[in-house]
Amino acid sequence: MKRKYKGMISLFMFVSILIMTSCGADTSVMQKEGYTNGYISIGDTTLCYTAPDSQKNILNYDTMETGIICNKPNCNHSDTSCVSFALGEYMPLFIENKAYFWIDDPESMEPNEEGIPDLKLGATLYSYDVFANKTEKILHVDDVSVSLCYGMALHQGTLYFVGNYKGRTYNENGIMLSRSNSGGRMGLFSVDLQKQEVHSFGDIYDLDALSAQYNGVKNSIEAYMKGIYDNKIYFEVSYIEDDTDMENLKYNSYVTYYNLETNEFAPQPEDLSNIDYVEIAFVSENYLVLVNDEHLFTIYQQGSDTSIEIEDENANMYSEVFVDNDKLFFGDKIYDLKTGAYTINEKLKDSVIIAKYQGSYIMKLPANETFEKIAEDELT
């Protein structure tokens, strides 16, 4: 059953750093939740973002004060001895006072099981404690690249992330001819931060099966982790259907998930020609919002068997959506999911809500890259 109303509604990178490390299990995050999509990291009490000067800044929800991810004395944040500078464009997962980030091994060619030189990949997970100014090495994973950050989520003490095997082409003798960041296999992995164990859940999609349907898939397909809803990790899988005409590329995207209760991926699309373009606009513990290219937004709410559809001709013009307490915030509109009514609130003009903290909303003002806090009752 669907209820349809007129109204409206998205939420990855590079790292190169060399630092001294020490090892140790992390027991401080068992009850914490957090997520990074590559350009912003949202936690329970803090968020991390890239400031106009390219440094990684932290916003404290309680005080609304900001500070750089660095506690090195007399640091000018201009070389790789500073964590904020060294992170570059990479957005770590930041929880309270600690940043988690990956560093890829230098790529190399080494003999595979058949003795043929092949691409060697690997990555190391680190944490940086801002208060203690201390970097720790957590663990290393083999055979995948993680530094482009296709999304990370911290959930019940486990860090979930996407591993990239890199797009590779081989000749008939198994010799690698080329590699690229896009295309190729991508898998879901997790790190138990207390036990310091890595687990692989398998590939997010079947590359061979999907590549057989469109010639552009093999070199373009990518999967982005978007968050966790209803105990499922949601991904947005995007690809180019036909790459023979570079001036008229046709992009497509579909949504899939990994079910943490049944420990299995959603069934893969059998026929991509039947796929309607869809993206994930918002994910939280209680809500999932999808958007398609027909200006239609579909909202799912945990515990409800009905979905709600919202239609607006300017839907794709909005870059941020937020849902909370049966209300959908988009631009300066507030949509009531129970009644179907929406109102215009001038206090939301030229701003976007990105988090909620103790009865208030955290708003970002994109024009000057600043943040404000507004009480929930001021928007009702």
Side-chain angles (χ1 to χ4, degrees):
M1 175 181 174
K2 294 182 178 180
R3 288 180 283 150
K4 188 171 182 179
Y5 305 120
K6 297 285 183 178
M8 123 143 251
I9 318 293
S10 208
L11 261 194
F12 284 126
M13 268 165 197
F14 181 81
V15 60
S16 178
I17 173 176
L18 209 50
I19 41 188
M20 299 299 292
T21 65
S22 62
C23 298
D26 192 342
T27 60
S28 64
V29 295
M30 298 306 296
Q31 304 302 320
K32 307 300 180 184
E33 301 285 322
Y35 168 75
T36 178
N37 58 16
Y39 70 91
I40 194 168
S41 176
I42 300 175
D44 293 332
T45 60
T46 55
L47 68 82
C48 182
Y49 66 100
T50 302
D53 61 1
S54 298
Q55 300 293 351
K56 297 297 177 290
N57 280 11
I58 309 157
L59 173 71
N60 183 300
Y61 296 159
D62 189 35
T63 64
M64 293 303 290
E65 295 177 345
T66 61
I68 194 169
I69 295 186
C70 175
N71 200 23
K72 178 184 173 183
N74 303 315
C75 184
N76 59 12
H77 317 302
S78 60
D79 61 62
T80 53
S81 66
C82 168
V83 171
S84 177
F85 179 90
L87 285 171
E89 295 181 356
Y90 182 88
M91 177 56 65
L93 177 64
F94 193 85
I95 302 293
E96 292 189 338
N97 62 304
K98 192 170 289 188
Y100 296 89
F101 56 94
W102 291 91
I103 301 173
D104 277 352
D105 297 347
E107 291 185 8
S108 62
M109 298 294 292
E110 297 184 14
N112 58 23
E113 294 179 355
E114 288 74 34
I116 301 174
D118 203 351
L119 187 63
K120 178 67 174 179
L121 299 172
T124 302
L125 176 65
Y126 295 89
S127 68
Y128 175 68
D129 189 317
V130 177
F131 292 164
N133 189 30
K134 182 180 180 181
T135 301
E136 293 187 344
K137 176 182 176 179
I138 299 177
L139 51 77
H140 182 271
V141 294
D142 294 320
D143 302 326
V144 294
S145 167
V146 190
S147 67
L148 287 176
C149 192
Y150 288 85
M152 286 194 292
L154 179 64
H155 179 62
Q156 297 179 354
T158 299
L159 182 69
Y160 296 93
F161 66 95
V162 175
N164 185 358
Y165 293 95
K166 303 284 187 178
R168 313 179 196 184
T169 58
Y170 298 85
N171 65 16
E172 64 277 8
N173 298 316
I175 304 298
M176 192 181 78
L177 302 176
S178 65
R179 48 79 67 207
S180 65
N181 290 328
S182 61
R185 296 164 50 217
M186 302 186 79
L188 172 64
F189 298 80
S190 71
V191 174
D192 185 316
L193 293 176
Q194 188 171 23
K195 297 179 180 179
Q196 295 192 349
E197 295 176 349
V198 179
H199 179 72
S200 172
F201 299 89
D203 289 2
I204 299 171
Y205 48 78
D206 186 330
L207 178 63
D208 292 337
L210 297 182
S211 297
Q213 300 185 46
Y214 286 110
N215 60 19
V217 170
K218 189 175 183 64
N219 296 321
S220 65
I221 192 166
E222 294 178 308
Y224 297 90
M225 182 190 298
K226 291 293 188 174
I228 299 176
Y229 161 75
D230 195 25
N231 231 16
K232 300 179 183 69
I233 304 174
Y234 275 83
F235 304 89
E236 190 175 287
V237 180
S238 62
Y239 56 92
I240 297 172
E241 293 185 353
D242 187 347
D243 58 4
T244 57
D245 185 356
M246 299 303 292
E247 295 184 358
N248 297 287
L249 296 176
K250 182 179 179 182
Y251 294 86
N252 210 341
S253 176
Y254 71 88
V255 172
T256 188
Y257 60 81
Y258 182 84
N259 192 318
L260 293 171
E261 294 181 348
T262 63
N263 296 315
E264 57 186 0
F265 285 98
Q268 179 173 269
E270 295 184 1
D271 186 355
L272 290 180
S273 65
N274 292 328
I275 294 294
D276 292 325
Y277 186 93
V278 63
E279 293 182 347
I280 299 174
F282 179 81
V283 186
S284 72
E285 180 181 357
N286 297 311
Y287 298 96
L288 171 69
V289 181
L290 306 181
V291 56
N292 65 18
D293 56 2
E294 299 296 327
H295 312 290
L296 190 65
F297 299 85
T298 306
I299 301 96
Y300 299 90
Q301 183 174 2
Q302 192 170 29
S304 175
D305 294 329
T306 63
S307 62
I308 299 173
E309 292 185 346
I310 300 174
E311 186 178 356
D312 190 282
E313 61 181 3
N314 296 317
N316 295 332
M317 295 176 62
Y318 285 80
S319 60
E320 301 283 352
V321 179
F322 192 81
V323 186
D324 175 65
N325 196 24
D326 292 321
K327 291 181 175 57
L328 177 68
F329 299 87
F330 42 93
D332 58 358
K333 294 180 180 178
I334 305 174
Y335 180 84
D336 190 314
L337 300 183
K338 290 183 176 180
T339 66
Y342 73 85
T343 59
I344 304 294
N345 193 306
E346 290 295 321
K347 294 180 180 180
L348 293 174
K349 188 175 182 180
D350 301 322
S351 65
V352 291
I353 295 176
I354 56 177
K356 186 179 182 181
Y357 176 73
Q358 295 185 349
S360 295
Y361 293 113
I362 309 299
M363 302 193 308
K364 180 181 179 181
L365 285 65
N368 55 10
E369 294 294 325
T370 58
F371 298 86
E372 293 182 356
K373 184 162 57 176
I374 185 169
E376 181 179 5
D377 56 15
E378 292 187 44
L379 300 179
T380 57

